[in-house]
Amino acid sequence: VARQTSETRMLIAALHFLAGTLGSLLIFVIGVRISGAKGFSAPFGVVFVGVACAALAHFVSQWATPAILLLYAISVFGEAIRDRST
């Protein structure tokens, strides 16, 4: 296995931060649309998800980003469906 330079590792972390943040923002917006909410405030959670994706991709595995986004989607869509039924 080839060793990665520190620049490559930081680029990978930045890309996972961007993918995590944009992916969770997209999931959040779709969840809000499904729930039928008329208005909402800007979510801070998307930044937290982005940071978690970058950190876990850097220290654990690059497969952590899709796993985190899947768990976040399950949570958001479950809450949206529950809100829609009430």
Side-chain angles (χ1 to χ4, degrees):
V1 176
R3 298 221 7 113
Q4 295 177 340
T5 64
S6 60
E7 292 85 13
T8 304
R9 288 192 307 253
M10 291 309 295
L11 178 62
I12 289 170
L15 290 174
H16 281 270
F17 172 77
L18 188 61
T21 303
L22 293 178
S24 61
L25 181 61
L26 180 64
I27 290 167
F28 176 80
V29 169
I30 292 170
V32 167
R33 299 278 293 173
I34 289 172
S35 71
K38 301 277 190 247
F40 59 91
S41 60
F44 177 73
V46 299
V47 175
F48 178 74
V49 171
V51 170
C53 287
L56 290 175
H58 181 74
F59 292 111
V60 178
S61 170
Q62 294 181 12
W63 286 100
T65 297
I68 290 170
L69 290 176
L70 177 64
L71 292 173
Y72 184 66
I74 290 170
S75 171
V76 168
F77 295 148
E79 184 178 347
I81 291 170
R82 204 171 36 251
D83 286 348
R84 189 168 179 88
S85 66
T86 58

